[in-house]
Structures are given as structure tokens and as C-alpha cells.
Amino acid sequence: MYDIETSLDNQILARMDNRPTVIFTEALEPRIIEAACYLPRFARPVLLAGEDEVKDVIHRELKHVDPTRVEFTLAESAFCDPTQRSDLLEEFARSCTELPQSLNRTRDLDEALALVKTPTRFGVMAVRQGHADMVVGGILHEPKDFFRPMLRLLAKQEVACEAGVIVLPDSHPDDIFPHNILVVGDVGVNATMTPEALANCAVGTCAVARDLFPEDVLPVINGAIVSYSNKGSDEGPSPELVRKATALVPEILAERISRGERYSSIHIEGEVKISVALSRRSAHLYRRGQENSFVGGTNVLIVPNLDTGNLLFHLYATRYPEARKFSVMFGLRFQGVDLAMDSTAEDAALAVKASILRLHRFGHWRRTPKDTFFRRYRILAVNPGSTSTKIAVFEGDLPRFTSEIQHAADELEPYEGKRIVEQYPLRKRVILDELAKHGLGPDDLDAVSGRGGLLRPIPHGTYRVGDVMYEELMSGGGVDHASNLGALIARELVEDTGKPAFIVDPVVVDEVPVRAKITGMKALRRKVISHALNQIATARRYAEEHETFYRYLNLIVCHMGGGITIGAHAKGRYIDVNNGLDGEGPFSPQRSGSEPTGDLIRLCFSGEYTLAELLKLNKGRGGLIDLLGTADFREVEQRMEAGDQEARDVYEAMVYQICKNITALVPAFDGEKVDQVLLTGGLARSRMLTDDITAGIKALGCGVTIYPGENEMHALMKGALRVLSGREQAKEYGDRS
């Protein structure tokens, strides 16, 4: 059977950069809760019930659902008891009394208030008023109680229709519908058809099919407006309706094609006997002597009355109970999902995903108009470099703007020979200037999240920039590095506002046990300095994409940039990683990596190099720079393609060392299975490199996921957002005791 779920998932992920807010009106129905458990990756669920009530239903009815999936869904959802939201009830009731005459059901405020207290009306009005993007209902309610009010209040065009989508199992004859996919319209809206309505339903139903099924699956959408007459073979009101509708189709279809070239693959024929639409044999016999007649291969049936559409949809659904079946609204701008009362949890999830896909395909939606249920905190991320400062302002998890502020040499000249932290007044000023260009100031922010500096070793997490951290960075006791400015700038920006300043997962994150630090020399202990921000952010991203939590996974993350760090992440703890700052581990574009100890000692005392030269060879001029004279990995690939054997030897050695260091972390997990290896950083953009590493660690027995590049600003925002939204407690950087 065609895997419609995977197809919808992949198509949504290919287009999605944000998740719509989806409101579930029947939140205590087990099928709805189970459906919601398969949606947090694609939507922000709002369940119209109290959280404890929902948990009680889960405890009683959903023991078969993976507890981790349930836990993740609850963490990603908002809960709302309509009777407790007097602010929204008043808004909705007043809006109801002010509706146009054609939509209005009452002008009495008390009567309107009683109406909107019901979850179904509350959910519909929440979407109409911009508090949510999509409302889901119907699994427990008659059409007059949910479907008709939804249609009346959310319709965006004069003619709407409902397309019933059925993916039939392999037991159905496979020579009738391509891939056993059938779409039927109209199955729910138009009790009375006019030629105009039928023509719009025909184009709308075919448009739904085109939106949902990729062209490599259904190259052509073949729609048939069915009748008991075939091409003029009979008379009557129904055939006449179909003939008039068919004549209107070309103009309506042309308008649809103007909105998207993909719709040019739609082919619609009218007045087709249903046997002709369903049987190639019948098509062959009925088409004799007729030019341009329907030739079979139908995948969309458009019917001239609601009874027939409803009958066809439910006939197939009951005849093939294992079929995937759901309906999709056309004409509501993706704002409503109507569920049949006999829907399964899987049917419900598919219906929501189908509407989400269409929402993204049209490209008009960016975010929920209002942040009532999921607050969009405004967060400034600050990432200082030696000669530049990167900033980004996020609203929720979407960027409002990003900027990289370059600091000219004459600006930095007064600070030459001084500690870099003395630059923070300059950096603060230019950031304030940049914010002002976008109409923002510190009072407009909910938090500032700065890049963490070279502090003392600490566990991973989001830390408040308190007095101890501030004084330690200013005192000059540690290593002087541009990242030290992050916490100072963050604190200074919000000092007079009462808003929090944070750092997130600085390079000194250290959760490594003693056993991994002891070396064979008593005087030496392994230190932990790594790309912790990107390492942990990548691990969290993988967990979120698989609808689980960082604390439940065993992951190996390989960050590959100018330096390479490879970390073991065991059930939410960062338990081993090579010291990327000092070049430990595999060699990289700029770092020498771990060297043979004896030879290195002899080299140190050979007199060939000074201390400064050796340190530079270890970090800054080592690795690919020393071996091949370049740190540009693209140049290395080009040299290999040109037949440079030296470049190939070095490349293969680098791949081997990366693979060896990845597999060397297996003992860190104490015999537990590694769930996944994640490859990230700038070098992960090389398909050749990631393919060869994937092949080299195949014996690990787990998959490899690739996240090219690193998004430090996004990681800083996510750390602050977890605290602001109450998902995580901010940590305090304590004193030496």
C-alpha cells in the first residue's frame, strides 16, 4: 500500500520553517489525543481541556502508545479550558454579535457567550480571530454542531468543497486507480449543486489531489465528473448540470494554474459514466466513435450531488477498513479539518498533516497571527568574534533579523595590548545602534543570550549571567578570548530592564567522568574544551525531530570545522569529548590532532622549532595547512578530482582518523547501544566526506544523520527559550566553594 504518511511527512519537512498552531476541540477523545501524539514535529497542538484531564484519559485509554512520545507531545502542547478563559470568551462573543448579517446567529451578547463556551465554537472562533491557524473537530460532533459552523465562519471563497482521500490496500484490484489512490469530491459541503459550484468542486478536488501527491507518484491528475449519462447518451437534470459545469471547468482551471504551474498536470473530463471512469473495458466500449473521450486511469471522481460523494467515500472506507482515509477542505484556506465519526487516530493525524502540507505549499503563511497559546518571546542572541559581533533577534523560534557587525581597525586600535573584555562598552554601543535601526531597544527584549566564554568547567545548560560570572570574566584570571564578551554584553544590555541575561553551553562544558581524564602521566590530566554549543544543540535537534528528549538518547556527535570535536552524549550528559582547543583528536583543516608522544617530545627538544612555532603548528597552522598548504577543504576535493595522490592520501588519513575517534567512544556508553551518529559543522557540507565517514563507521550498527554547518545563533536562542517557556530551569554559576 502506498505510504501516504511518509509521503506527507517528507513533503512537509521539505517546505516547513515554522509550525502552525492547531486547535483540537475534542481533546478528551482518546483517538484525538493519540493523533496529536504524531503531530508535534509538524504542528503546535492546543488541546481544549485541562492538562490533568488529558493525562487521565491517556492513563486509562492509551497504554499502547509509546510513553516517550506521549511525554514529548504533552511538553509541546498547550492546554486550554474554554470556560476558564474569560478574556477570549468575551472577545469571541463580541465578535459573534458583530458578524455580517449572512453569518450572524445572534446579536445578544449573553447568547453568544453561551455559544462560544462550547469547545467546538471556541475552537472555530480562535482560528477566525487569529489565535490559531487550524481547527480540528467532527469526530464526536454532528455536522450541524461543528462542520457547518466551521464552514460558515472560516470559508474564504464562495464555493467550498470537501475532498475525500482514500489510499486503498493491496487487496484492492491494482489496475483501476494508479497506486490505489482515489480522491472523491464533494463528500461533505454542497447539498445543492449549481453548474458553477460543481465546476469549482471539480477543480478544487483535483487541486487537493495535486497538492498532496507528488508528480513522480501521480504524474497526471485525471478527474472525471461522473453522471448516469456518458457524453450525451441520456437526458435529464443531472446530465444537464454536468454538461454546464464541464463547460465552465477550463476557465476555472486556467485561473488555478495561474496560482501554481503544478496544476497544469490536472486533466478533467465531464459527463463520464461512472463505469467508464472505473473500468478500462467500459471506457473502451463506450468511447467508440467519440473523439477526446475519457480513456480510463481515473484518480479523482467528482460527483454531482452530496449523497453520491458521501456514499462513495464511506463505501470504500467500510469495504476496505484497513485503507487510509481522510478528508481535506477546499475553500477555507487550510483553516479547518473535518473528521468523520468513524475516523481512526491515524486517519485524524493524516487529515491534519494534509492540511498542513497544503498550508506550506501555498507559501502565504509564516506564523500564527497572535501568540495567545504559544508566546513568542523576543530574544537577542549575541556571538562576539575577534573583529566582528554577530547578533540575531528572534521572535519565538523565528528570526526577525540577523546582522554581522564588522569592527574597523581604527575602532579596535585603542584596545591594542589590552584584554579583550575591555571592548564590551564598544560592542554594547554598536549593538544598541543596530537594534535601533530595527526599531528596538533593550526594553523590547525578553532576554539576551550571549556566547559563553572560557569559564571554569561546568555542566551543560543555560546559565544566568550573575555577579560571580561577571566578576570572574572581568578579573582576567582565565584565558582571554572573544567569547568572554558574550556574557558581559548580555548583562550590560539588560541591566536596567530587569530582563534576564544568559549564556548557553559554553566551550568549557564538562560532564566527563574521572576515568576519561586520567592519563599515563600523573602530571597530566585531559581537559575538556569543545564545540559544546553546537554539539548539544545538534543532539537536541535530532531528539526533537524524532519526538523525544535529549535525556533519552545515546548519541555520538562529530563537529567538523577548522577544529574537530567528537563527543559522547549519554542520556542527556556530555560524558566524553576530545579537547578541540589544543588539537587533541583527529587532525583537521587547521589543527594537528593527537601526535605520537615520543616523537612529539623529541621534536620539541630538537631545536628546529620555538615554543611559539610548535603551538602554532598544533593549532592554527597544523592539519591540512601543514600537510597540503591549504585549510580549504573544497580545494582538497578539487585536487583529488584532478588526480593529486598526495591530497588523496591525506584525505583518506583524515577520514580514517575521524572514523577511529568516533568508534573509540563506544566504551563511554557502558555497553548500551548508540542510537545515532550525528555529523555537523562546515565540513559536513561535503557529500564525499560524510559518505566516506558513514561507510567507515558502518560496523557501529547505528544510523548517521547529517546536519551541515552550525547555527550558533539559533542554539543561543533555543537555550534561552527553554528557560523562558518553563521547560528548563536556568542554572547559576556558583562561587569556588
Side-chain angles (χ1 to χ4, degrees):
M1 183 161 57
Y2 175 71
D3 189 351
I4 179 68
E5 181 176 23
T6 299
S7 176
L8 292 177
D9 290 358
N10 291 340
Q11 291 184 81
I12 293 170
L13 292 173
R15 293 166 174 82
M16 174 178 92
D17 63 4
N18 195 7
R19 295 176 295 158
T21 299
V22 178
I23 196 160
F24 293 88
T25 60
E26 298 151 325
L28 298 180
E29 163 58 41
R31 289 172 293 169
I32 290 297
I33 300 173
E34 184 174 349
C37 287
Y38 292 88
L39 293 170
R41 191 177 181 188
F42 313 103
R44 304 179 197 273
V46 179
L47 299 167
L48 294 187
E51 185 172 1
D52 289 340
E53 294 177 291
V54 172
K55 287 180 176 178
D56 184 59
V57 175
I58 292 169
H59 177 72
R60 288 186 284 105
E61 305 287 346
L62 297 179
K63 290 183 172 62
H64 60 284
V65 180
D66 179 4
T68 301
R69 180 176 288 277
V70 171
E71 182 185 359
F72 184 83
T73 301
L74 295 178
E76 292 290 317
S77 299
F79 301 87
C80 175
D81 180 349
T83 64
Q84 302 302 308
R85 289 302 301 264
S86 57
D87 56 334
L88 294 178
L89 289 173
E90 183 177 342
E91 176 192 334
F92 297 168
R94 194 168 302 281
S95 178
C96 283
T97 64
E98 296 169 354
L99 288 169
Q101 186 64 41
S102 60
L103 301 179
N104 192 279
R105 288 296 181 265
T106 180
R107 297 290 181 189
D108 182 82
L109 188 60
D110 290 336
E111 188 178 345
L113 193 60
L115 274 175
V116 298
K117 278 184 178 179
T118 63
T120 52
R121 297 295 180 96
F122 184 95
V124 171
M125 289 303 297
V127 172
R128 182 180 173 88
Q129 297 295 107
H131 299 279
D133 303 296
M134 193 177 297
V135 61
V136 182
I139 206 167
L140 294 177
H141 290 83
E142 301 290 350
K144 62 185 177 63
D145 296 320
F146 171 73
F147 179 70
R148 295 297 166 184
M150 175 190 74
L151 193 64
R152 186 175 71 253
L153 293 170
L154 299 182
K156 295 295 185 291
Q157 56 193 51
E158 188 174 343
V159 178
C161 67
E162 188 171 19
V165 180
I166 306 172
V167 179
L168 294 158
D170 295 337
S171 57
H172 183 273
D174 61 5
D175 59 347
I176 297 178
F177 308 115
H179 296 282
N180 271 343
I181 295 169
L182 171 63
V183 182
V184 181
D186 176 13
V187 300
V189 177
N190 296 283
T192 303
M193 280 287 191
T194 64
E196 292 77 14
L198 182 55
N200 277 281
C201 287
V203 174
T205 304
C206 289
V208 168
R210 181 70 292 158
D211 288 342
L212 300 186
F213 297 101
E215 293 191 21
D216 60 348
V217 176
L218 295 180
V220 178
I221 300 299
N222 275 326
I225 309 177
V226 299
S227 171
Y228 62 74
S229 171
N230 190 70
K231 303 294 185 183
S233 67
D234 208 340
E235 297 296 335
S238 180
E240 184 63 22
L241 169 68
V242 172
R243 288 174 199 136
K244 289 180 178 179
T246 302
L248 298 173
V249 163
E251 182 180 353
I252 298 170
L253 181 56
E255 194 277 333
R256 175 59 47 174
I257 292 171
S258 72
R259 300 188 190 187
E261 182 58 32
R262 64 184 178 277
Y263 298 120
S264 62
S265 60
I266 293 174
H267 171 220
I268 300 173
E269 287 209 36
E271 198 184 352
V272 178
K273 200 174 184 71
I274 194 164
S275 60
V276 174
L278 299 181
S279 164
R280 279 174 164 68
R281 177 180 178 277
S282 294
H284 175 72
L285 294 172
Y286 274 90
R287 72 179 179 174
R288 287 180 296 185
Q290 298 177 5
E291 295 182 4
N292 301 320
S293 61
F294 196 81
V295 294
T298 317
N299 38 46
V300 177
L301 296 177
I302 303 104
V303 298
N305 61 73
L306 190 54
D307 288 336
T308 304
N310 217 267
L311 172 67
L312 279 173
F313 181 73
H314 289 287
L315 185 64
Y316 275 103
T318 53
R319 172 66 181 83
Y320 297 96
E322 66 272 40
R324 307 287 183 262
K325 57 191 183 302
F326 57 92
S327 62
V328 180
M329 296 302 304
F330 181 87
L332 271 64
R333 194 61 65 86
F334 333 111
Q335 291 187 324
V337 176
D338 175 43
L339 302 176
M341 285 188 169
D342 61 353
S343 294
T344 64
E346 186 177 51
D347 295 338
L350 289 173
V352 175
K353 288 179 183 180
S355 290
I356 290 173
L357 172 58
R358 297 192 69 234
L359 176 105
H360 289 305
R361 289 208 71 156
F362 274 77
H364 301 308
W365 179 87
R366 178 164 170 78
R367 69 182 191 183
T368 310
K370 300 176 183 178
D371 65 349
T372 306
F373 298 110
F374 299 94
R375 183 175 168 186
R376 286 192 288 267
Y377 292 96
R378 188 175 286 152
I379 299 166
L380 168 65
V382 179
N383 185 7
S386 57
T387 60
S388 67
T389 303
K390 295 179 184 177
I391 67 169
V393 171
F394 293 85
E395 292 176 346
D397 48 12
L398 282 182
R400 175 165 170 174
F401 75 88
T402 60
S403 179
E404 183 168 359
I405 306 165
Q406 299 294 333
H407 304 294
D410 58 342
E411 282 185 303
L412 298 178
E413 186 177 359
Y415 301 98
E416 286 184 11
K418 299 179 181 179
R419 296 181 58 245
I420 198 167
V421 294
E422 295 190 34
Q423 295 180 18
Y424 82 81
L426 163 69
R427 307 279 186 135
K428 174 187 173 182
R429 177 175 54 77
V430 296
I431 291 172
L432 288 171
D433 290 344
E434 191 67 23
L435 289 173
K437 291 178 185 177
H438 296 270
L440 297 173
D443 288 330
D444 299 308
L445 305 172
D446 291 298
V448 180
S449 187
R451 181 71 185 265
L454 291 166
L455 299 159
R456 286 173 284 118
I458 54 176
H460 81 274
T462 299
Y463 286 79
R464 293 187 187 276
V465 183
D467 292 341
V468 174
M469 184 186 298
Y470 180 85
E471 291 166 6
E472 186 170 310
L473 289 169
M474 290 298 293
S475 69
V479 178
D480 198 32
H481 192 269
S483 62
N484 293 347
L485 286 163
L488 301 176
I489 295 169
R491 177 182 167 114
E492 285 286 320
L493 284 169
V494 296
E495 188 172 30
D496 298 327
T497 68
K499 309 294 178 60
F502 301 117
I503 64 167
V504 182
D505 296 330
V507 294
V508 293
V509 166
D510 182 357
E511 297 170 329
V512 177
V514 172
R515 70 178 186 179
K517 293 182 176 179
I518 293 175
T519 74
M521 292 186 183
K522 192 172 183 179
L524 298 178
R525 286 290 183 270
R526 289 187 63 232
K527 296 177 182 177
V528 177
I529 299 177
S530 69
H531 303 94
L533 183 63
N534 192 47
Q535 284 260 349
I536 297 169
T538 300
R540 287 185 182 276
R541 177 180 173 183
Y542 177 83
E544 288 177 6
E545 290 182 358
H546 290 78
E547 295 168 313
T548 185
F549 298 95
Y550 177 49
R551 64 180 179 268
Y552 291 147
L553 295 173
N554 288 331
L555 303 168
I556 296 175
V557 182
C558 178
H559 173 105
M560 302 180 292
I564 295 175
T565 58
I566 303 172
H569 301 254
K571 300 292 193 293
R573 289 184 62 79
Y574 192 23
I575 60 170
D576 199 0
V577 65
N578 57 297
N579 183 341
L581 183 66
D582 276 350
E584 183 185 41
F587 69 80
S588 71
Q590 298 176 352
R591 298 176 191 178
S592 65
S594 300
E595 301 291 353
T597 307
D599 290 340
L600 179 60
I601 292 170
R602 283 185 282 273
L603 186 65
C604 290
F605 289 91
S606 67
E608 295 181 34
Y609 298 93
T610 66
L611 173 62
E613 288 171 337
L614 280 170
L615 289 173
K616 196 68 175 176
L617 193 58
N618 178 51
K619 182 174 76 75
R621 298 296 302 172
L624 294 182
I625 291 179
D626 189 47
L627 294 167
L628 296 175
T630 181
D632 188 341
F633 196 75
R634 293 167 298 182
E635 181 183 333
V636 176
E637 290 183 313
Q638 292 165 2
R639 285 166 61 172
M640 285 193 290
E641 289 173 6
D644 185 331
Q645 187 59 44
E646 182 184 17
R648 178 159 297 281
D649 289 343
V650 169
Y651 166 79
E652 290 179 354
M654 182 173 166
V655 171
Y656 177 74
Q657 288 197 13
I658 292 171
C659 292
K660 185 167 71 172
N661 278 265
I662 289 173
T663 55
L665 286 176
V666 170
F669 299 96
D670 292 323
E672 290 191 15
K673 180 180 178 293
V674 176
D675 294 302
Q676 197 80 350
V677 173
L678 312 180
L679 305 180
T680 184
L683 295 186
R685 295 189 179 96
S686 167
R687 178 66 180 271
M688 178 174 67
L689 178 62
T690 57
D691 281 352
D692 287 342
I693 293 171
T694 300
I697 62 173
K698 187 177 180 180
L700 267 180
C702 65
V704 175
T705 301
I706 301 162
Y707 296 107
E710 59 179 300
N711 195 336
E712 295 167 334
M713 311 307 280
H714 193 265
L716 291 171
M717 173 275 294
K718 291 287 278 188
L721 187 59
R722 284 192 296 273
V723 171
L724 294 175
S725 61
R727 296 186 183 185
E728 186 179 298
Q729 288 291 319
K731 295 180 178 179
E732 302 292 339
Y733 186 73
D735 58 23
R736 293 183 184 276
S737 60

mmCIF file of all heavy atoms in Angstrom, residues 411-429:
data_model
loop_
_atom_site.group_PDB
_atom_site.id
_atom_site.type_symbol
_atom_site.label_atom_id
_atom_site.label_comp_id
_atom_site.label_asym_id
_atom_site.label_seq_id
_atom_site.Cartn_x
_atom_site.Cartn_y
_atom_site.Cartn_z
ATOM 1 N N GLU A 411 38.570 51.401 15.036
ATOM 2 C CA GLU A 411 37.719 51.242 16.217
ATOM 3 C C GLU A 411 38.415 50.418 17.291
ATOM 4 O O GLU A 411 38.279 50.679 18.491
ATOM 5 C CB GLU A 411 36.406 50.543 15.842
ATOM 6 C CG GLU A 411 35.367 51.398 15.176
ATOM 7 C CD GLU A 411 34.079 50.621 14.979
ATOM 8 O OE1 GLU A 411 34.121 49.552 14.334
ATOM 9 O OE2 GLU A 411 33.038 51.077 15.479
ATOM 10 N N LEU A 412 39.153 49.384 16.840
ATOM 11 C CA LEU A 412 39.787 48.458 17.779
ATOM 12 C C LEU A 412 41.174 48.935 18.233
ATOM 13 O O LEU A 412 41.717 48.404 19.204
ATOM 14 C CB LEU A 412 39.903 47.066 17.141
ATOM 15 C CG LEU A 412 38.577 46.382 16.778
ATOM 16 C CD1 LEU A 412 38.837 45.039 16.109
ATOM 17 C CD2 LEU A 412 37.706 46.191 18.011
ATOM 18 N N GLU A 413 41.732 49.940 17.530
ATOM 19 C CA GLU A 413 43.097 50.391 17.839
ATOM 20 C C GLU A 413 43.281 50.815 19.295
ATOM 21 O O GLU A 413 44.296 50.471 19.923
ATOM 22 C CB GLU A 413 43.475 51.547 16.908
ATOM 23 C CG GLU A 413 44.925 51.974 17.067
ATOM 24 C CD GLU A 413 45.303 53.079 16.094
ATOM 25 O OE1 GLU A 413 44.425 53.488 15.299
ATOM 26 O OE2 GLU A 413 46.456 53.533 16.139
ATOM 27 N N PRO A 414 42.310 51.517 19.914
ATOM 28 C CA PRO A 414 42.514 51.916 21.323
ATOM 29 C C PRO A 414 42.620 50.740 22.289
ATOM 30 O O PRO A 414 43.081 50.924 23.427
ATOM 31 C CB PRO A 414 41.266 52.756 21.628
ATOM 32 C CG PRO A 414 40.770 53.222 20.299
ATOM 33 C CD PRO A 414 41.093 52.112 19.350
ATOM 34 N N TYR A 415 42.224 49.561 21.833
ATOM 35 C CA TYR A 415 42.218 48.406 22.735
ATOM 36 C C TYR A 415 43.420 47.489 22.519
ATOM 37 O O TYR A 415 43.517 46.434 23.142
ATOM 38 C CB TYR A 415 40.925 47.601 22.540
ATOM 39 C CG TYR A 415 39.688 48.423 22.801
ATOM 40 C CD1 TYR A 415 38.987 49.005 21.742
ATOM 41 C CD2 TYR A 415 39.233 48.632 24.093
ATOM 42 C CE1 TYR A 415 37.851 49.770 21.972
ATOM 43 C CE2 TYR A 415 38.097 49.400 24.331
ATOM 44 C CZ TYR A 415 37.416 49.961 23.265
ATOM 45 O OH TYR A 415 36.302 50.724 23.509
ATOM 46 N N GLU A 416 44.331 47.870 21.617
ATOM 47 C CA GLU A 416 45.505 47.039 21.364
ATOM 48 C C GLU A 416 46.340 46.916 22.635
ATOM 49 O O GLU A 416 46.600 47.901 23.332
ATOM 50 C CB GLU A 416 46.346 47.631 20.232
ATOM 51 C CG GLU A 416 45.723 47.439 18.859
ATOM 52 C CD GLU A 416 46.619 47.946 17.737
ATOM 53 O OE1 GLU A 416 47.799 48.247 18.034
ATOM 54 O OE2 GLU A 416 46.148 48.044 16.596
ATOM 55 N N GLY A 417 46.755 45.683 22.915
ATOM 56 C CA GLY A 417 47.558 45.421 24.098
ATOM 57 C C GLY A 417 46.744 45.297 25.370
ATOM 58 O O GLY A 417 47.310 45.072 26.447
ATOM 59 N N LYS A 418 45.443 45.449 25.263
ATOM 60 C CA LYS A 418 44.577 45.329 26.427
ATOM 61 C C LYS A 418 43.756 44.044 26.336
ATOM 62 O O LYS A 418 43.641 43.440 25.271
ATOM 63 C CB LYS A 418 43.631 46.532 26.516
ATOM 64 C CG LYS A 418 44.331 47.872 26.656
ATOM 65 C CD LYS A 418 43.317 49.007 26.704
ATOM 66 C CE LYS A 418 44.006 50.359 26.817
ATOM 67 N NZ LYS A 418 43.020 51.473 26.836
ATOM 68 N N ARG A 419 43.190 43.661 27.475
ATOM 69 C CA ARG A 419 42.336 42.473 27.490
ATOM 70 C C ARG A 419 41.085 42.735 26.654
ATOM 71 O O ARG A 419 40.517 43.831 26.662
ATOM 72 C CB ARG A 419 41.953 42.099 28.924
ATOM 73 C CG ARG A 419 43.150 41.689 29.772
ATOM 74 C CD ARG A 419 42.760 41.310 31.171
ATOM 75 N NE ARG A 419 41.789 40.220 31.171
ATOM 76 C CZ ARG A 419 40.537 40.338 31.601
ATOM 77 N NH1 ARG A 419 40.109 41.497 32.080
ATOM 78 N NH2 ARG A 419 39.725 39.305 31.584
ATOM 79 N N ILE A 420 40.646 41.684 25.954
ATOM 80 C CA ILE A 420 39.533 41.861 25.017
ATOM 81 C C ILE A 420 38.241 42.243 25.720
ATOM 82 O O ILE A 420 37.374 42.903 25.148
ATOM 83 C CB ILE A 420 39.344 40.584 24.156
ATOM 84 C CG1 ILE A 420 38.512 40.913 22.911
ATOM 85 C CG2 ILE A 420 38.704 39.464 24.980
ATOM 86 C CD1 ILE A 420 38.535 39.832 21.855
ATOM 87 N N VAL A 421 38.092 41.859 27.005
ATOM 88 C CA VAL A 421 36.849 42.170 27.704
ATOM 89 C C VAL A 421 36.646 43.675 27.860
ATOM 90 O O VAL A 421 35.525 44.139 28.094
ATOM 91 C CB VAL A 421 36.786 41.479 29.087
ATOM 92 C CG1 VAL A 421 36.716 39.970 28.931
ATOM 93 C CG2 VAL A 421 37.956 41.901 29.962
ATOM 94 N N GLU A 422 37.719 44.456 27.715
ATOM 95 C CA GLU A 422 37.580 45.902 27.820
ATOM 96 C C GLU A 422 36.830 46.499 26.631
ATOM 97 O O GLU A 422 36.458 47.675 26.640
ATOM 98 C CB GLU A 422 38.958 46.545 27.980
ATOM 99 C CG GLU A 422 39.665 46.153 29.282
ATOM 100 C CD GLU A 422 40.908 46.985 29.542
ATOM 101 O OE1 GLU A 422 40.895 48.180 29.171
ATOM 102 O OE2 GLU A 422 41.872 46.447 30.101
ATOM 103 N N GLN A 423 36.604 45.676 25.612
ATOM 104 C CA GLN A 423 35.886 46.161 24.437
ATOM 105 C C GLN A 423 34.369 46.163 24.624
ATOM 106 O O GLN A 423 33.639 46.638 23.745
ATOM 107 C CB GLN A 423 36.216 45.298 23.214
ATOM 108 C CG GLN A 423 37.644 45.349 22.758
ATOM 109 C CD GLN A 423 37.865 44.453 21.545
ATOM 110 O OE1 GLN A 423 36.918 44.070 20.855
ATOM 111 N NE2 GLN A 423 39.127 44.115 21.294
ATOM 112 N N TYR A 424 33.870 45.618 25.752
ATOM 113 C CA TYR A 424 32.427 45.425 25.814
ATOM 114 C C TYR A 424 31.622 46.724 25.744
ATOM 115 O O TYR A 424 30.510 46.719 25.193
ATOM 116 C CB TYR A 424 32.031 44.539 26.996
ATOM 117 C CG TYR A 424 31.924 45.216 28.342
ATOM 118 C CD1 TYR A 424 30.792 45.938 28.695
ATOM 119 C CD2 TYR A 424 32.939 45.096 29.279
ATOM 120 C CE1 TYR A 424 30.687 46.534 29.936
ATOM 121 C CE2 TYR A 424 32.844 45.693 30.520
ATOM 122 C CZ TYR A 424 31.709 46.415 30.848
ATOM 123 O OH TYR A 424 31.602 47.006 32.073
ATOM 124 N N PRO A 425 32.116 47.881 26.230
ATOM 125 C CA PRO A 425 31.320 49.111 26.016
ATOM 126 C C PRO A 425 31.156 49.430 24.522
ATOM 127 O O PRO A 425 30.084 49.855 24.086
ATOM 128 C CB PRO A 425 32.126 50.191 26.737
ATOM 129 C CG PRO A 425 32.925 49.448 27.769
ATOM 130 C CD PRO A 425 33.283 48.154 27.107
ATOM 131 N N LEU A 426 32.237 49.246 23.744
ATOM 132 C CA LEU A 426 32.158 49.461 22.295
ATOM 133 C C LEU A 426 31.151 48.503 21.666
ATOM 134 O O LEU A 426 30.284 48.916 20.877
ATOM 135 C CB LEU A 426 33.541 49.254 21.668
ATOM 136 C CG LEU A 426 33.568 49.041 20.144
ATOM 137 C CD1 LEU A 426 33.179 50.309 19.415
ATOM 138 C CD2 LEU A 426 34.947 48.554 19.696
ATOM 139 N N ARG A 427 31.272 47.221 22.017
ATOM 140 C CA ARG A 427 30.375 46.223 21.435
ATOM 141 C C ARG A 427 28.920 46.504 21.818
ATOM 142 O O ARG A 427 28.012 46.374 21.002
ATOM 143 C CB ARG A 427 30.775 44.830 21.911
ATOM 144 C CG ARG A 427 32.241 44.455 21.707
ATOM 145 C CD ARG A 427 32.543 44.007 20.303
ATOM 146 N NE ARG A 427 33.923 43.531 20.194
ATOM 147 C CZ ARG A 427 34.289 42.414 19.571
ATOM 148 N NH1 ARG A 427 33.386 41.667 18.996
ATOM 149 N NH2 ARG A 427 35.563 42.065 19.521
ATOM 150 N N LYS A 428 28.711 46.892 23.067
ATOM 151 C CA LYS A 428 27.354 47.201 23.518
ATOM 152 C C LYS A 428 26.770 48.354 22.703
ATOM 153 O O LYS A 428 25.602 48.305 22.263
ATOM 154 C CB LYS A 428 27.365 47.547 25.009
ATOM 155 C CG LYS A 428 26.019 48.027 25.538
ATOM 156 C CD LYS A 428 26.134 48.511 26.973
ATOM 157 C CE LYS A 428 24.842 49.147 27.467
ATOM 158 N NZ LYS A 428 24.958 49.669 28.850
ATOM 159 N N ARG A 429 27.573 49.381 22.473
ATOM 160 C CA ARG A 429 27.075 50.554 21.752
ATOM 161 C C ARG A 429 26.656 50.208 20.321
ATOM 162 O O ARG A 429 25.583 50.627 19.854
ATOM 163 C CB ARG A 429 28.155 51.644 21.737
ATOM 164 C CG ARG A 429 27.751 52.888 20.934
ATOM 165 C CD ARG A 429 28.798 53.979 21.055
ATOM 166 N NE ARG A 429 30.136 53.532 20.707
ATOM 167 C CZ ARG A 429 30.565 53.360 19.456
ATOM 168 N NH1 ARG A 429 29.750 53.595 18.439
ATOM 169 N NH2 ARG A 429 31.799 52.965 19.226
#
